[in-house]
Amino acid sequence: MNRNIIKKAVSAVLTGAVLLGFTGCLNNGGAKKAVLEVADSLATDMLTCNAGKIIKNTGLDKKSKEAQSLTELLSDDEKTDDEKAFFKAVESTIEYEIDEESCTVNKDSASVDIVFTIVDYSSVLAEDFNDIDELTKAIKKGDTNEITFTAEFVKEDKEWVPDNVGSKKFLKLYDYRKVELDLSLSAEKIAGLIDKNVSDFWLTTDGKYVDTNFIQYDYFFASEALEYADKEFYLYFKLYKDGQVAYVSDNMLFGKSTNISCRVELGDVGLTGSIFEDGTYTIELLTADGEVVDTEIVTVEHTEITVPSGNGGGNGGGGNTTTGGEGVYFDYYDKSFKQYVIEADWFEYDVDAGCLSDGCFYDKSVQYIAFSIQVTPECDKELTYYYYYAANENELADALSGSPIFTDTISVTQYDNGYYYDIDYATNGEAQSGFYLLFVMDAETNSNILYGFCKVS
């Protein structure tokens, strides 16, 4: 036997085997390169967020369920401007890297991991933002997360084609488009903007109104509220009396100014008198959706007018202009008004008729029940006054809760001897026996200034 021939044969066999092995490696290496190139093209298309382009370049059937879902998800149709801006901001943060080491290639299939980095938009959305511009700025500066998509491929006519485009794993990158973007204000947010140091019931003392013809709570907000004016966010308020709804306001635009006035007049609640009934009243501020922002409570009381059984402390006589009846036949709500007062008291125009006696007692033949206030020249307030009538002391409370017998609004009148408010009620000599009750208010602010009574017998 020729041993050299055997050695050559063995060498030839070994060499052939080695070469065959090398050829297999070269073929696999070429396939891997081709797969990586297709994966890179796919990732690039995914960054465009263009469903039509992705479908066209991947050969996905346009009528397939996957293609339809992808098209719907990436469409901006019927999206708001805020949503479009949010999508654009998120998409500007997306980058990718092909993990070449993860690439596996079999005969007719392959896979490779595409690692996307994307902003952690969920964390950003957990914060409060005034508008979409603030949100998009925060999105672009936010921390990022990684999303790994394992792209799968099949070999068709010697070409590698993506095989799992439109799958749940593929669509994971676009979850941000499923976010319900809500930049509207919450009741809690608005409540946090209320400045309780200046918000209050207007013209009350210790949360109590006395003989009032209005109820008003003024809400004042931090200047930040003005930033919401263009959001068209509305508030309204309710007034409750003893737990029952008495009034519901119209919607009010939040952010138009730094305050909202919740004011209710007598006519708003259908009352015919000139003052609110006694009781506990609640102002409730709500969003247009009915979420409660804030609740405030005030009480309303009536003045208890005590009618003396004997004669009062006035100086008596017609034309009396002293203030001897102050604290007995009349008194002031608003002490600041007294800075203008020179003299004040019940008055009779015809002194010789002698119809006024003992400070506040009129004869039934009196032509005018009158209260006169002499003031300093700088007093220019308009006053509104109300007269009520009660036949006896037991009917005083009922009289005040009903309608006045007369009301008028007046300005100060200049006479030769000074400036006067003529608070008159014409009886034309037909005054009824009983008590005439007087309430005087500032016509502009509706604040109570003075109250009093006189008697006719």
Side-chain angles (χ1 to χ4, degrees), residues 129-131 134 185 222-231 254-255:
F129 297 95
N130 292 346
D131 54 41
E134 287 189 7
L185 286 164
S223 58
E224 183 183 344
L226 297 174
E227 299 176 12
Y228 296 97
D230 60 350
K231 302 298 292 185
F254 178 69

Side-chain angles (χ1 to χ4, degrees), residues 56-233:
K56 178 181 178 181
N57 291 342
T58 59
L60 190 65
D61 185 356
K62 294 181 180 180
K63 297 182 180 180
S64 68
K65 180 179 179 181
E66 290 79 8
Q68 291 176 359
S69 297
L70 179 62
T71 300
E72 182 178 349
L73 185 62
L74 297 184
S75 173
D76 282 343
D77 293 345
E78 299 183 2
K79 300 298 183 182
T80 66
D81 290 341
D82 284 353
E83 288 172 328
K84 292 176 184 177
F86 170 68
F87 296 158
K88 184 177 180 180
V90 172
E91 288 159 4
S92 70
T93 71
I94 305 176
E95 297 178 351
Y96 76 89
E97 182 178 351
I98 306 296
D99 183 2
E100 295 185 12
E101 294 183 1
S102 69
C103 181
T104 61
V105 179
N106 295 317
K107 183 178 180 181
D108 294 319
S109 63
S111 67
V112 64
D113 289 343
I114 305 174
V115 182
F116 293 93
T117 59
I118 183 172
V119 66
D120 184 5
Y121 54 86
S122 295
S123 296
V124 177
L125 289 172
E127 303 174 17
D128 290 327
F129 297 95
N130 292 346
D131 54 41
I132 189 62
D133 290 337
E134 287 189 7
L135 174 58
T136 54
K137 288 178 182 178
I139 286 290
K140 294 175 182 179
K141 296 178 181 179
D143 295 332
T144 58
N145 286 332
E146 288 187 353
I147 297 176
T148 299
F149 167 57
T150 301
E152 299 175 359
F153 305 88
V154 294
K155 198 169 186 181
E156 296 180 359
D157 298 329
K158 299 181 181 182
E159 297 289 338
W160 291 102
V161 179
D163 191 44
N164 60 340
V165 172
S167 66
K168 289 183 179 180
K169 292 181 180 180
F170 178 90
L171 298 179
K172 180 69 176 176
L173 178 65
Y174 305 115
D175 277 353
Y176 65 91
R177 285 183 163 264
K178 301 175 184 177
V179 170
E180 291 186 8
L181 193 62
D182 185 9
L183 296 178
S184 63
L185 286 164
S186 66
E188 182 179 1
K189 174 73 173 180
I190 295 172
L193 295 175
I194 297 173
D195 186 347
K196 286 298 183 75
N197 291 323
V198 292
S199 298
D200 202 355
F201 279 103
W202 195 43
L203 298 179
T204 63
T205 302
D206 299 327
K208 180 192 301 182
Y209 280 110
V210 178
D211 299 322
T212 183
N213 65 344
F214 72 94
I215 293 174
Q216 179 175 337
Y217 191 90
D218 289 334
Y219 282 100
F220 285 86
F221 301 90
S223 58
E224 183 183 344
L226 297 174
E227 299 176 12
Y228 296 97
D230 60 350
K231 302 298 292 185
E232 296 188 354
F233 192 85

Side-chain angles (χ1 to χ4, degrees), residues 331-406:
D331 209 342
Y332 296 91
Y333 283 110
D334 184 359
K335 302 298 182 183
S336 65
F337 181 77
K338 290 185 66 176
Q339 66 180 308
Y340 303 110
V341 178
I342 298 174
E343 292 183 322
D345 211 338
W346 293 99
F347 180 79
E348 184 182 1
Y349 285 98
D350 186 358
V351 179
D352 295 332
C355 292
L356 177 65
S357 62
D358 296 323
C360 73
F361 290 83
Y362 288 98
D363 183 273
K364 287 193 292 185
S365 62
V366 68
Q367 296 296 308
Y368 286 92
I369 291 176
F371 192 88
S372 178
I373 306 175
Q374 183 183 8
V375 295
T376 56
E378 63 268 19
C379 183
D380 59 357
K381 292 179 178 291
E382 279 197 333
L383 302 182
T384 298
Y385 65 89
Y386 304 85
Y387 274 105
Y388 296 82
Y389 171 76
N392 54 60
E393 294 182 39
N394 295 329
E395 297 180 6
L396 292 176
D398 291 339
L400 291 176
S401 63
S403 300
I405 59 172
F406 184 75

